[in-house]
Amino acid sequence: MFSFYANLNSGNLAGLFHLIVLVLHFISPTNNNNNILSLMVSSESLSESVAPPTMKYGITKPLSLAGPTEADLQRNAELEKFLRESELYESEEETARREEVLRRLDQVHGPGADLDTLCVGPCYVNREEDFFILLHDILAEMEEVRELQPVPDAHVPVMKFKFQGISIDLLYASITLLVIPEDLDISDQSVLCNVDGPTVRSLNGCRVADRILKLVPNAKHFRTTLRCLKFWAKRRGVYSNVTGFLGGVNWALLVARICQFYPNAIPSMLVSRFFRVYTQWRWPNPVMLCPIEEDELGFLVWDPRKNPKDRTHHMPIITPAYPCMNSSYNVSPSTLRVMMDQFQIGNKICEDVELNKSQWPSLFEHYFFFEAYKNYLQVEIVAADNDDLLAWKGWVESRLRQLTLKIERDTNGTLQCHPYPNEFADMSKPCPHCAFFMGLQRQKGVKVQEGQRFDIRGTVDEFKQDVNMYSYWIPGMDIYISHVPRREIPAYVFPDGYKRPRQSRNTTQHTPEKDAKGCMSSEGRRSKRKQETHTVDVESDKLPKRASISPQNIGSVSPASVSSRTGGSSQMIIPEESLQEVKTAGLQNQSSDDKSTEDTGEQKPCISE
């Protein structure tokens, strides 16, 4: 973990802040000529030597002290060769560009990764006005800054922007000092005295990173393994904390625990053991790198024995620095199911690699999300201009996890959601917009009546009502949610080389009128809703009674269920069928819990096209 200090010498903020730049992916740059770097971790934590067998890491003994065999060394060389060919190591040019950005910020890490930064200020400089208003305005006036996006309502308030093309995530912490010293030790627990919850969470990123590197046996092997697993997670669509999967810190903690289990293993072994261990992990048993410590400061720590809310967490991954928290509280039953499926697939491929039946590139194949399900939710976000879209999109994306949770709640978990982390945009439309998608399927092994359908229109309307509580909402910001069968997935989501779905039979249907910007007019939206009864109308402010599962005859939709701007409830009724689920890329393997259904010959339930 590297930390950097700088002054923000702009306007009235000169000399008030110090900036700590944290590389949360824990990957050191390739260029070591860093005059501006101030290393905060001890030399022991960065040691590249194998830890002595007598050293204890973690809360249990290692699972194995075995070192690499000749075959392991060969597979490790092949893995590192693949990683370099995939351009996962930063070039010297990009490292130099990052250093230049840091120098410029002094006046305010796979390649392309964000610089996660922490701005530390004195007690009289607050987050709401000085950081999110004053500093925001200073950054907005800088020519080098683009895509400035404040997210003050996030669990960890953040300001996102690009500085000379480098993505920056800037947090703020106001601590109880009148002057911030140049040699501030962020790992000292005294910085937590008399600060609020968002400040603790903002400080915890640096503190956790420092602690992780001190708790792994070999920092070099840890970094390489983490680089590999983050690449895998992005390729398989499970890298996103905001949508209910895992982010950088979560993956780092999972990898660090594997390093503790196998202190003498090299990266190729650690990658394989990662999947082997976590396919067998009995969640919600927590992953912890060290015992949870209490402190006289009195902050809540993760403890399901004392805190009822902690008992509801599905995949606890506990941070090692005080106050110890669950870093993966966003994970839902649906997203946990998706990750466990992917762990099973990864484990099978690693087994094949060890048996010389497969090669490393097969582990990192793209996940074909739009071929995996028969039904999807499309969440389209529009705004008046690109700046408004940036802010609106950040807010909606931060709330998408709530839509997954609400659907799980209102269907008693029988309708499962797979939110996809990537956003999409139709380049043929001139209006500022983007879209997110969720895959939908009925829970395996659950029997329902023939013709039964999920009625989630009330759920969608409730979500829309929550989203529209955005404090910075302005006219033009809107959201549309619709049920899209796989055959009607828009072509713009498929990059070149990906399989495109067959064309819908309704392609010759009349296209509703578009306004001057290319966005659908209100009249056109009403016309479209009359034609497509499965489309969700989120325009209505009236919140209907929420329904969980509504057994109805397929195709029997009353005229009253079709909503319009002038009133009525939104429509989202998804039919089901008992046909055998299509085995698609990335979902061929089933978890052990699902095999009993297959063995009995019972057909796997799924949502119809």
Side-chain angles (χ1 to χ4, degrees):
M1 187 276 290
F2 293 94
S3 297
F4 309 77
Y5 292 89
N7 292 323
L8 293 176
N9 300 317
S10 300
N12 296 328
L13 298 183
L16 295 184
F17 297 120
H18 286 298
L19 192 66
I20 300 175
V21 178
L22 168 67
V23 184
L24 276 182
H25 42 62
F26 307 93
I27 301 170
S28 59
T30 55
N31 185 352
N32 293 320
N33 186 20
N34 302 321
N35 295 327
I36 64 170
L37 307 190
S38 174
L39 193 60
M40 285 181 58
V41 297
S42 67
S43 59
E44 295 175 351
S45 66
L46 296 178
S47 172
E48 297 183 3
S49 61
V50 175
T54 55
M55 196 77 171
K56 179 183 177 182
Y57 292 91
I59 59 175
T60 63
K61 294 181 179 179
L63 295 179
S64 172
L65 294 175
T69 64
E70 287 297 325
D72 291 321
L73 293 171
Q74 177 62 30
R75 283 191 288 269
N76 193 69
E78 293 171 355
L79 177 60
E80 292 197 348
K81 180 175 181 290
F82 171 78
L83 296 179
R84 293 191 180 278
E85 290 175 348
S86 300
E87 299 181 349
L88 291 187
Y89 289 88
E90 187 174 67
S91 66
E92 292 187 5
E93 292 77 10
E94 186 168 357
T95 299
R97 191 158 64 97
R98 287 174 183 270
E99 292 179 12
E100 176 60 25
V101 167
L102 292 173
R103 291 189 182 95
R104 295 302 307 277
L105 280 177
D106 188 37
Q107 303 169 12
V108 183
H109 177 237
D114 294 350
L115 284 178
D116 298 293
T117 63
L118 172 64
C119 184
V120 179
C123 55
Y124 54 87
V125 178
N126 65 57
R127 181 185 301 104
E128 290 73 20
E129 296 178 2
D130 297 310
F131 181 72
F132 277 114
I133 297 179
L134 182 57
L135 181 59
H136 172 274
D137 292 344
I138 292 173
L139 292 172
E141 294 176 0
M142 299 178 66
E143 293 183 358
E144 302 91 341
V145 174
R146 294 287 185 271
E147 300 181 17
L148 183 60
Q149 177 187 351
V151 191
D153 297 324
H155 187 64
V156 182
V158 62
M159 193 134 61
K160 297 173 176 285
F161 56 94
K162 286 188 176 180
F163 195 102
Q164 294 183 347
I166 299 293
S167 295
I168 306 289
D169 284 353
L170 181 60
L171 312 179
Y172 179 67
S174 175
I175 62 176
T176 55
L177 294 176
L178 293 176
V179 178
I180 307 300
E182 291 283 348
D183 60 347
L184 176 68
D185 183 3
I186 206 72
S187 64
D188 193 318
Q189 288 190 188
S190 64
V191 300
L192 301 178
C193 291
N194 300 316
V195 298
D196 60 12
T199 297
V200 172
R201 293 190 289 272
S202 298
L203 290 167
N204 235 22
C206 291
R207 293 166 52 79
V208 166
D210 179 52
R211 191 84 172 115
I212 288 175
L213 284 176
K214 292 177 179 177
L215 290 171
V216 295
N218 187 306
K220 180 182 177 181
H221 292 169
F222 164 73
R223 288 194 182 100
T224 301
T225 307
L226 179 57
R227 187 193 303 269
C228 186
L229 267 301
K230 288 179 67 175
F231 182 46
W232 171 86
K234 291 174 182 178
R235 285 290 183 95
R236 303 304 293 177
V238 291
Y239 188 96
S240 173
N241 181 64
V242 70
T243 54
F245 293 108
L246 302 180
V249 171
N250 310 126
W251 292 108
L253 291 167
L254 291 182
V255 170
R257 189 66 181 113
I258 299 302
C259 292
Q260 292 179 337
F261 280 140
Y262 303 94
N264 296 328
I266 57 177
S268 63
M269 300 168 64
L270 293 170
V271 169
S272 177
R273 302 310 187 270
F274 178 95
F275 293 110
R276 183 182 301 177
V277 168
Y278 290 121
T279 53
Q280 302 177 57
W281 197 272
R282 296 184 178 180
W283 304 106
N285 287 330
V287 170
M288 297 190 296
L289 302 186
C290 61
I292 295 176
E293 58 178 303
E294 300 283 351
D295 191 87
E296 64 274 5
L297 293 178
F299 288 108
L300 280 178
V301 297
W302 188 84
D303 189 345
R305 297 168 301 178
K306 298 179 181 178
N307 309 322
K309 189 176 180 180
D310 293 343
R311 300 170 199 161
T312 67
H313 295 168
H314 303 285
M315 192 182 189
I317 303 173
I318 311 304
T319 57
Y322 176 83
C324 298
M325 308 174 184
N326 176 22
S327 64
S328 52
Y329 60 89
N330 276 353
V331 174
S332 71
S334 284
T335 52
L336 176 58
R337 171 190 59 83
V338 172
M339 286 187 284
M340 293 303 294
D341 285 345
Q342 293 300 326
F343 288 165
Q344 292 280 357
I345 295 166
N347 187 50
K348 178 62 170 61
I349 293 174
C350 286
E351 289 177 351
D352 288 344
V353 169
E354 292 181 345
L355 295 173
N356 295 321
K357 294 181 178 180
S358 185
Q359 301 297 321
W360 285 118
S362 60
L363 179 64
F364 303 95
E365 291 179 353
H366 282 283
Y367 176 69
F368 292 91
F369 174 72
F370 291 105
E371 297 178 20
Y373 298 93
K374 293 186 177 182
N375 291 272
Y376 297 83
L377 281 185
Q378 178 176 342
V379 181
E380 189 166 12
I381 304 162
V382 298
D385 57 46
N386 289 326
D387 290 338
D388 290 349
L389 178 66
L390 193 65
W392 181 230
K393 178 188 68 175
W395 166 252
V396 174
E397 185 179 13
S398 72
R399 309 303 298 170
L400 281 178
R401 185 181 74 94
Q402 296 299 322
L403 180 57
T404 300
L405 294 174
K406 291 176 188 297
I407 291 174
E408 291 174 344
R409 176 199 67 193
D410 295 346
T411 64
N412 297 321
T414 55
L415 181 60
Q416 297 176 328
C417 300
H418 178 175
Y420 197 57
N422 297 355
E423 65 181 79
F424 301 88
D426 186 352
M427 295 295 101
S428 66
K429 291 183 179 180
C431 62
H433 75 287
C434 67
F436 293 91
F437 290 83
M438 292 183 178
L440 300 173
Q441 72 174 12
R442 180 155 55 88
Q443 183 182 14
K444 296 179 176 68
V446 176
K447 295 182 179 180
V448 294
Q449 300 175 4
E450 185 177 356
Q452 188 174 21
R453 297 186 293 175
F454 291 101
D455 183 354
I456 57 173
R457 52 190 167 181
T459 308
V460 169
D461 280 354
E462 180 186 347
F463 171 73
K464 174 254 184 179
Q465 189 178 60
D466 291 345
V467 166
N468 283 338
M469 297 297 290
Y470 182 45
S471 302
Y472 301 94
W473 185 92
I474 60 175
M477 294 179 175
D478 222 331
I479 178 173
Y480 306 98
I481 305 178
S482 57
H483 163 224
V484 183
R486 185 174 60 207
R487 63 177 178 270
E488 296 178 12
I489 290 292
Y492 64 79
V493 306
F494 297 94
D496 292 337
Y498 276 47
K499 179 182 177 182
R500 293 175 181 268
R502 61 184 180 274
Q503 292 294 322
S504 170
R505 297 178 181 178
N506 297 327
T507 53
T508 59
Q509 205 169 6
H510 171 69
T511 302
E513 264 187 53
K514 302 292 182 72
D515 61 18
K517 289 188 176 182
C519 296
M520 195 175 295
S521 65
S522 59
E523 292 79 6
R525 285 192 291 269
R526 287 197 294 268
S527 173
K528 184 178 180 182
R529 291 184 197 111
K530 291 179 181 178
Q531 296 172 21
E532 301 179 7
T533 58
H534 59 259
T535 301
V536 175
D537 173 14
V538 293
E539 295 294 324
S540 172
D541 289 328
K542 182 179 179 182
L543 183 63
K545 182 179 180 180
R546 186 165 58 241
S548 293
I549 302 179
S550 176
Q552 304 177 35
N553 293 326
I554 295 179
S556 60
V557 181
S558 66
S561 66
V562 182
S563 41
S564 67
R565 275 187 177 272
T566 57
S569 61
S570 62
Q571 177 73 4
M572 175 61 71
I573 300 180
I574 303 173
E576 300 193 54
E577 64 177 2
S578 59
L579 296 176
Q580 178 78 13
E581 181 177 8
V582 177
K583 290 186 177 181
T584 53
L587 288 180
Q588 289 93 339
N589 293 301
Q590 304 228 351
S591 67
S592 58
D593 293 338
D594 298 330
K595 290 180 180 178
S596 59
T597 301
E598 187 174 13
D599 294 339
T600 60
E602 179 184 346
Q603 290 180 314
K604 302 185 188 74
C606 62
I607 298 175
S608 65
E609 292 184 326

